[in-house]
Amino acid sequence: MRYQVCAVFQLVAVVAAVLLFVWGVSITFDLQSDALLSLGFYDSNPNKAESIEAAKKCSLSQVCPPESFPFHIWSGAAKVVGPKICFNGKIIMSNVLNNVGPGINIVEINGERGAVEKFYFLNMESGDKDQILSYLREIKPGSIILAASYVDVTQRMTDEMREIFEGMGSSMIKTLNSHDSWVFAGKVGMKEKSLFEKLVVSDPKTNIYGEWPRVAELGGCFPAIDEDNINAPETKGKI
């Protein structure tokens, strides 16, 4: 009799443990889903087939909603590995493509059509300040901007340059210092602050690459912009 009672209690304990585990998994999944939704993701297929296919687009795990563009940005790692910028399923700038450089690597995109119009690196180590400022001033209103730091972005940085990035929605550009890792996605003429920005501060106590911190990484879905933009040919280079 005592053996049967013990067996019953053991069975109840096992069932309770299984139910608690299932409950914990469901809560974790809900929290992860809420976090993904806050970045503009949504899961359009309960069977996950579409989500798996969408993961190929800039290494995102979820599907972007209609009228938005998937993107993924990685800053550079110290002086060793350059940044990488992916937009709408295509790598636009990277070490492999040999089109990145020290300073701010920047992709300019037509905000309505999602067409890549320009990609440059603004050489903040030895570039001409006037040319850099001229380039930033000439970016068309409504353009989506993707930016990633590499090595050091502050040597040629001026207050006006910082103000221009603020006008794209950056809330961290004024605190960006030497050797920090920074990635950003915004829009020229943005009235509100962008949700897409990450800054990893250089700190000798936490740096993993000597003078440099870990890589800053950011991905999400940038909404398309409902306005006309002047067409421009795709160009590449550096300033």
Side-chain angles (χ1 to χ4, degrees):
M1 180 66 176
R2 182 179 298 175
Y3 174 78
Q4 291 177 338
V5 172
C6 290
V8 170
F9 275 115
Q10 288 176 349
L11 179 61
V12 170
V14 170
V15 172
V18 171
L19 290 175
L20 183 61
F21 174 77
V22 172
W23 175 79
V25 170
S26 66
I27 291 297
T28 302
F29 179 79
D30 288 342
L31 291 174
Q32 290 174 341
S33 297
D34 290 342
L36 289 167
L37 286 171
S38 70
L39 288 176
F41 292 118
Y42 85 119
D43 189 353
S44 66
N45 190 334
N47 295 321
K48 304 297 181 182
E50 190 174 350
S51 294
I52 293 172
E53 181 63 25
K56 298 177 182 178
K57 282 200 170 185
C58 296
S59 302
L60 301 182
S61 61
Q62 298 290 312
V63 181
C64 284
E67 307 301 323
S68 69
F69 307 112
F71 74 92
H72 206 149
I73 312 172
W74 296 260
S75 70
K79 289 184 175 181
V80 181
V81 181
K84 182 166 67 173
I85 301 178
C86 180
F87 180 77
N88 210 19
K90 181 180 179 181
I91 303 298
I92 309 301
M93 302 185 75
S94 72
N95 251 13
V96 174
L97 295 176
N98 196 31
N99 60 1
V100 297
I104 300 177
N105 294 262
I106 185 168
V107 177
E108 181 181 342
I109 299 156
N110 183 290
E112 182 182 12
R113 304 192 313 273
V116 175
E117 299 190 328
K118 295 180 182 179
F119 49 94
Y120 278 74
F121 73 86
L122 308 179
N123 191 333
M124 306 301 284
E125 284 192 326
S126 58
D128 185 281
K129 288 184 181 180
D130 292 335
Q131 290 184 15
I132 294 171
L133 189 57
S134 176
Y135 169 79
L136 292 173
R137 286 172 176 169
E138 292 174 3
I139 300 176
K140 297 187 294 293
S143 297
I144 296 172
I145 298 300
L146 308 180
S149 67
Y150 184 32
V151 186
D152 191 348
V153 300
T154 60
Q155 292 186 37
R156 295 291 189 272
M157 182 74 71
T158 66
D159 289 342
E160 186 173 352
M161 291 177 194
R162 294 181 190 267
E163 288 172 1
I164 290 174
F165 278 103
E166 277 193 312
M168 299 175 185
S170 173
S171 59
M172 301 176 181
I173 189 67
K174 284 199 170 179
T175 60
L176 181 62
N177 290 315
S178 175
H179 295 174
D180 288 350
S181 295
W182 175 68
V183 288
F184 168 70
K187 181 192 72 172
V188 179
M190 200 167 185
K191 295 180 180 179
E192 65 279 2
K193 296 302 180 183
S194 174
L195 298 175
F196 303 111
E197 186 171 24
K198 185 172 288 186
L199 174 65
V200 182
V201 175
S202 176
D203 184 340
K205 296 179 181 179
T206 58
N207 286 347
I208 63 174
Y209 301 116
E211 299 177 84
W212 287 270
R214 60 181 174 83
V215 170
E217 179 183 352
L218 177 67
C221 308
F222 204 99
I225 298 161
D226 186 17
E227 61 185 24
D228 293 330
N229 288 291
I230 300 173
N231 294 332
E234 182 177 341
T235 59
K236 63 179 179 179
K238 64 179 180 179
I239 294 178

